[in-house]
Amino acid sequence: MRDLVAVGSLDALRGALVVGDVEVSEASDVVAVLTAAAFVGATEAAIELSALFEGTDATVEALMNVDRASSDEPYFARRVAEADLVVLADGSALHAKSVWHGSALGEAIRHAAHVVAIGSVASVLTETMIDPRGGAPTTGLGYVEGLAITTNVGEEQLNRTRSLLGDDVRLAVLGPLGAVRYDGSTWHALNADVVTTRALEVVPL
């Protein structure tokens, strides 16, 4: 993955945001992967994501990869590989992990040039995933390394997550407008709505 931007919510994408050398509002070929939205409304998620690009020259294609069977569909994998920008919809991180693991589509996401991951689905892409059901660390897909990511789910659960991670892993907590970027080797906070900790100590990203 050459460039990944993880954002706390869809609202974080409504302003100008650059993923590598691609400005989100100027991408011409956008693919939305709706896997995580399978249980909360994939069609609604597709409409919301497409609305972000209204008034631009972008073509937005929503891939209804909502189950394991479709993850080895060659067309889906090819579209992810070819797109200027791949947007991973928010929803069930655990469902996304199980659907993408060891699949052609998952490998296409791993090697995509420019990816935006919205909300909890960003946690799936890292080596250490944060289980949204209780905040415990578990194994992610490992497409990127060097950071664990979660959204702001409440201080009690976050403190539990931080204590379980210990000193070994940095954790970035994304507020609704928070955004972090991985440029292929290094992580950067893109705005102030991000808190990074190691164990219980706040550290710079």
Side-chain angles (χ1 to χ4, degrees):
M1 197 174 292
R2 196 167 78 210
D3 276 286
L4 165 67
V5 170
V7 297
S9 72
L10 194 63
D11 287 339
L13 289 180
R14 299 192 192 282
L17 183 62
V18 175
V19 185
D21 55 359
V22 176
E23 186 170 325
V24 168
S25 62
E26 295 181 355
S28 60
D29 180 22
V30 180
V31 167
V33 181
L34 305 174
T35 312
F39 304 132
V40 295
T43 301
E44 291 81 355
I47 292 170
E48 285 188 317
L49 289 172
S50 295
L52 290 174
F53 298 90
E54 288 181 355
T56 75
D57 294 329
T59 299
V60 181
E61 181 175 4
L63 301 184
M64 291 293 179
N65 167 236
V66 294
D67 56 25
R68 180 71 185 178
S70 61
S71 283
D72 285 318
E73 169 59 50
Y75 177 78
F76 285 178
R78 185 173 73 252
R79 287 297 293 120
V80 166
E82 293 173 347
D84 293 335
L85 183 67
V86 178
V87 181
L88 307 179
D90 197 4
S92 170
L94 292 169
H95 179 65
K97 176 184 173 181
S98 66
V99 168
W100 294 337
H101 177 70
S103 71
L105 183 64
E107 288 305 300
I109 293 170
R110 181 199 296 271
H111 297 292
H114 303 294
V115 177
V116 171
I118 302 172
S120 62
V121 77
S123 184
V124 176
L125 307 178
T126 63
E127 292 177 308
T128 302
M129 175 183 171
I130 307 303
D131 191 326
R133 296 171 298 184
T138 185
T139 303
L141 292 174
Y143 295 171
V144 292
E145 57 187 20
L147 191 69
I149 302 171
T150 189
T151 52
N152 197 340
V153 293
E155 204 58 34
E156 182 177 348
Q157 182 166 314
L158 288 174
N159 284 337
R160 179 171 185 266
T161 299
R162 288 166 177 147
S163 64
L164 290 171
L165 284 171
D167 296 330
D168 297 334
V169 180
R170 290 181 302 170
L171 174 69
V173 179
L174 305 180
L177 299 179
V180 294
R181 177 189 171 208
Y182 180 73
D183 64 8
S185 60
T186 306
W187 287 95
H188 311 273
L190 298 184
N191 58 34
D193 201 15
V194 178
V195 177
T196 309
T197 54
R198 192 185 293 275
L200 300 179
E201 180 182 356
V202 176
V203 296
L205 184 56

